[in-house]
Amino acid sequence: MQQTPFTPLGQTTPAFPAAGLDASNQASTHELTIPNDLIGCIIGRQGTKINEIRQMSGAQIKIANAMEGSSERQITITGTPANISLAQYLINARFRDVAAMWNDPSSMTTS
């Protein structure tokens, strides 16, 4: 009969690293509300901008469909706190970029 080795209390085994229990690695969710008339600058042409934000942040980002009679869209960001913070930063940066283009039309490029 083969015995399974045990690990003394307070020590971890390679199969169950303590880092996996770290709260900073736990997934959480954050929600944002964005006006309908600005959601296009977050999504980008054919979803290019939101996909960039997803890839760069590592967060899962879902944009709810427009609700009838509502002037806003719900964005749900899921990931670690670091993923969520980076996604929020990138979304805000996108707003700043678009605002800068509106304030300085000469910076706009045509494609």
Side-chain angles (χ1 to χ4, degrees), residues 9-98:
L9 293 176
Q11 294 183 5
T12 60
T13 61
F16 301 102
L21 301 176
D22 185 359
S24 65
N25 291 331
Q26 297 291 325
S28 59
T29 299
H30 183 77
E31 293 186 342
L32 302 171
T33 303
I34 307 290
N36 276 339
D37 56 347
L38 296 178
I39 200 72
C41 75
I42 298 300
I43 296 172
R45 196 169 287 185
Q46 296 183 343
T48 56
K49 296 301 175 187
I50 193 65
N51 286 334
E52 280 178 19
I53 294 170
R54 286 174 176 138
Q55 184 176 9
M56 291 174 70
S57 69
Q60 180 182 24
I61 304 171
K62 294 182 181 179
I63 301 173
N65 292 328
M67 301 298 275
E68 190 173 332
S70 176
S71 62
E72 298 177 325
R73 302 273 289 271
Q74 191 78 27
I75 297 179
T76 304
I77 306 170
T78 304
T80 66
N83 296 142
I84 292 170
S85 292
L86 182 53
Q88 286 179 290
Y89 173 82
L90 294 169
I91 288 169
N92 289 330
R94 184 73 188 132
F95 283 133
R96 285 191 299 275
D97 292 347
V98 170

